[in-house]
Amino acid sequence: ITSKFGYDLSHLIFAVWGLSFKPQTDDVRSAPSFTIISELINRGSTIKAYDPKAIENFKNKIKLNLKC
């Protein structure tokens, strides 16, 4: 992403579908989406994410782990 858009992503919005580690679960413990979304947010981008089963667990985990 940074090779295409640079390191300042504050002007971009990214959509992410599927947040859990495994499809059809709410398990986000080792989900790659967490690492990717955290880095995108730290670089200033806006995220639009969707996962019908994992969204609440993901929101709780990201709140605890974002660098402010």
Side-chain angles (χ1 to χ4, degrees):
I1 292 171
T2 55
S3 65
K4 177 148 179 87
F5 298 110
Y7 288 97
D8 178 13
L9 303 174
S10 60
H11 59 289
L12 296 173
I13 299 171
F14 291 92
V16 180
W17 288 9
L19 302 172
S20 63
F21 174 69
K22 293 171 72 175
Q24 305 298 318
T25 70
D26 65 352
D27 185 359
V28 296
R29 288 175 290 165
S30 300
S33 62
F34 179 75
T35 304
I36 294 165
I37 289 173
S38 294
E39 190 60 31
L40 290 171
I41 290 171
N42 286 336
R43 292 180 186 271
S45 66
T46 300
I47 305 297
K48 303 286 183 176
Y50 179 75
D51 187 311
K53 297 198 181 213
I55 191 72
E56 291 305 316
N57 286 347
F58 191 88
K59 284 182 192 177
N60 291 333
K61 183 176 179 181
I62 204 138
K63 283 180 193 174
L64 295 173
N65 291 293
L66 277 181
K67 299 173 191 169
C68 296

